[in-house]
Amino acid sequence: AQSVTQLGSHVSVSEGALVLLRCNYSSSVPPYLFWYVQYPNQGLQLLLKYTSAATLVKGINGFEAEFKKSETSFHLTKPSAHMSDAAEYFCAVSVDSSYKLIFGSGTRLLVRP
Amino acid sequence: DTGVSQDPRHKITKRGQNVTFRCDPISEHNRLYWYRQTLGQGPEFLTYFQNEAQLEKSRLLSDRFSAERPKGSFSTLEIQRTEQGDSAMYLCASSYTEGNTGELFFGEGSRLTVL
């Protein structure tokens, strides 16, 4: 069965510091992988997606992620955190023709001034 | 295009009452998904439609839950005899199958509180 594990339910960084949010997936077939962001009391917004093209994927708001098949990972990074990045981030996998997403439990990013 | 819209945004009800949520997907999208999200957790898949056909239901979708998409456009999710454990955010998402690379477009959700 497909699954996603996000290490760290909370990550705290200083403004301007590197952001690293970890995601590992489990899938028996080549997956599509996604990162979504959720602000309080709002729906989910797509940050970026991997669909078997380039392994380094660039998304919105300066975020990027690298697909590493050997490590079954899809970690999200941003070189310099901004206060507006504070939100909940979800990694998700899609593996069949339904295109339904299986989500991780999320990581809350806190940005300190 | 106004995106995926959900109504109501918030619903407070007493245990045992029935509630219904509505989702209007992006107009050209033929697939529609329902998810449930509890506090501190990721969204959990409930069910999805392609046009008016309900193609998959999760084990989370108990007999008290029913979803419809009668004309392949908007969808409703009804919860009968609500329980306190039903308190959650109910998210709707839509997509299209033609040339799809898997992205789902989410609405802002309907938050249910069962007292």
Side-chain angles (χ1 to χ4, degrees), chain A residues 21-64:
Chain A
L21 304 182
R22 299 179 185 273
C23 172
N24 289 87
Y25 70 91
S26 172
S27 174
S28 58
V29 298
Y32 288 172
L33 293 161
F34 304 81
W35 277 98
Y36 280 83
V37 62
Q38 186 177 36
Y39 297 98
N41 296 313
Q42 293 189 22
L44 284 80
Q45 179 184 6
L46 181 70
L47 278 177
L48 49 81
K49 60 184 177 183
Y50 167 77
T51 56
S52 74
T55 57
L56 182 62
V57 181
K58 294 187 183 297
I60 63 171
N61 300 339
F63 285 94
E64 63 182 38

Side-chain angles (χ1 to χ4, degrees), chain B residues 31-47:
Chain B
R31 285 194 172 177
L32 187 149
Y33 303 77
W34 284 100
Y35 282 80
R36 182 177 72 184
Q37 185 180 21
T38 53
L39 200 61
Q41 298 298 317
E44 297 172 294
F45 170 76
L46 292 178
T47 187

Side-chain angles (χ1 to χ4, degrees), chain B residues 16-19 63-65 78-83 86:
Chain B
Q17 298 295 304
N18 299 343
V19 297
D63 291 344
R64 297 184 297 104
F65 288 68
E78 181 184 16
I79 308 173
Q80 296 182 326
R81 304 181 304 281
T82 53
E83 302 173 355
D86 297 330

